[in-house]
């Protein structure tokens, strides 16, 4: 029998799986915000572009790991790396079937009701159709998802770039259903994680595992190569609990201006991250990315995991007073521990 951590759960149970807690922060969180160095100020009066002061590859020249020197160089230059056939077809088939069962059970529990992410519910539905859009912290409740996030070659690839032990800052299953899946506007994840969660430095990266074919037609991730080398400071101060709407409705805060996007896209271009099931994408937390709505008859489902350096733990948010919930930004000392391989 699975432990309670991995037992499949329905919507009613989800309301109680994560209590509303405020976990102990690192000692640096006791320093007043006004006295903490902020290397990436944002949410101020204007849109500006700042230089990145952190390295992209923290252990440059390191060949001790699964990534080749060419792959490391590509990641450093473009901010992302696509690795095809990372997981074999049979493993992905089993995982996809399990995830689809989870999706069906949760949607039946929802019964078409609208669900906005809250302190205790880690589900997000589509704004128009009510179909499930995201399950956050899925690795805490579903054993197969957890196992894939701790795959040894994947973990060693992440640590090869970040040059540190890592923990899971955020995990989710993303659904973009045929005809109904809505996209996300251009943004840098780090901008939000820095200002609303208190992530000090750009020493985190994301991994996307394709469970379905990701194509231009069904809203595959779009990236602006090289945009990770700059920090796009955004205008406007987000209210507390901004996350209650920003993950469901069009983002109003923490997004670059059209002029900023146009400028960097004209210079660097835009690329689609496409691939068959079993493909993974590794990308820098400061990379500018987005996706358009899925108008095609082909849905896509991906597992998205953010790995943060163990020495880059969250402190107090830089511009908000309320911390985002645990299933969005991990602070629990028991979870902020070096990940162990699934083998």
């Amino acid at each position: 029998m699975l432990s309670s951590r991995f037992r499949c759960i329905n919507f009613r149970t989800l309301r109680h799986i994560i209590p509303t807690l405020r976990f102990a922060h690192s000692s640096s969180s006791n320093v007043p915000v006004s006295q903490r160095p902020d290397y990436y100020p944002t949410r101020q009066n204007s849109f500006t572009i700042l230089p990145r002061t952190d390295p992209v590859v923290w252990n440059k020249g390191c060949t001790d790991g699964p990534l080749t020197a060419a792959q490391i160089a590509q990641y450093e230059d473009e901010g992302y790396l696509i690795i095809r056939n990372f997981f074999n077809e049979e493993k992905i088939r089993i995982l996809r079937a399990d995830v689809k069962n989870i999706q069906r059970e949760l949607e039946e529990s929802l019964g078409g009701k609208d669900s906005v992410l809250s302190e205790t519910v880690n589900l997000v539905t589509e704004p128009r159709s009510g179909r499930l859009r995201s399950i956050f912290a899925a690795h805490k409740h579903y054993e197969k998802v957890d196992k894939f996030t701790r795959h040894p070659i994947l973990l060693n690839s992440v640590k090869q770039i970040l040059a540190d032990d890592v923990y899971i800052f955020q995990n989710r299953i993303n659904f973009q259903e045929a005809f109904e899946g809505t996209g996300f506007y251009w943004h840098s994840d780090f901008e939000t994680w820095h200002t609303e969660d208190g992530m000090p430095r750009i020493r985190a990266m994301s991994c996307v595992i394709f469970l379905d074919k990701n194509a231009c037609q069904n809203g595959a991730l779009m990236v602006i190569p090289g945009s990770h080398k700059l920090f796009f400071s955004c205008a406007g101060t987000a209210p507390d609990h901004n996350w209650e709407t920003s993950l469901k409705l069009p983002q109003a805060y923490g997004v670059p201006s059209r002029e900023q996007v146009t400028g960097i896209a004209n210079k660097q271009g835009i690329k689609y991250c496409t691939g068959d099931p079993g493909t993974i994408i590794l990308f820098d937390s400061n990379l500018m990315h987005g996706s358009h709505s899925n108008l095609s008859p082909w849905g896509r489902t991906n597992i998205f995991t953010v790995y943060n350096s163990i020495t880059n733990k969250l402190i107090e948010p830089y511009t908000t007073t309320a911390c985002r919930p645990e299933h969005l930004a991990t602070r629990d000392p028991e979870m902020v521990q070096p990940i162990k391989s699934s083998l």
Side-chain angles (χ1 to χ4, degrees), residues 6 33 84 88 99 128 134 145 152 171 200 226 238 245 250 274 279 303:
F6 298 121
V33 172
R84 306 188 189 282
N88 67 47
V99 167
R128 293 189 300 270
S134 295
V145 174
N171 168 269
T245 56
T274 62
T279 297
I303 294 177

Side-chain angles (χ1 to χ4, degrees), residues 143-207:
E143 185 176 28
K144 287 188 177 67
V145 174
D146 176 71
K147 186 175 181 179
F148 273 71
T149 66
R150 297 184 292 110
H151 187 278
I153 298 178
L154 174 57
L155 276 183
N156 287 332
S157 298
V158 170
K159 291 192 284 187
Q160 189 177 354
I161 291 173
L162 298 182
D164 201 0
D165 284 322
V166 296
Y167 70 97
I168 295 179
F169 164 78
Q170 187 187 100
N171 168 269
R172 63 182 183 265
I173 303 172
N174 281 345
F175 306 93
Q176 198 170 36
E177 292 302 307
F179 301 111
E180 299 174 352
T182 52
F184 276 104
Y185 188 72
W186 293 105
H187 66 284
S188 154
D189 289 327
F190 175 74
E191 194 279 343
T192 294
W193 300 341
H194 179 67
T195 189
E196 294 187 28
D197 296 325
M199 182 180 286
R201 311 301 292 263
I202 310 176
R203 199 172 183 178
M205 61 188 295
S206 300
C207 173

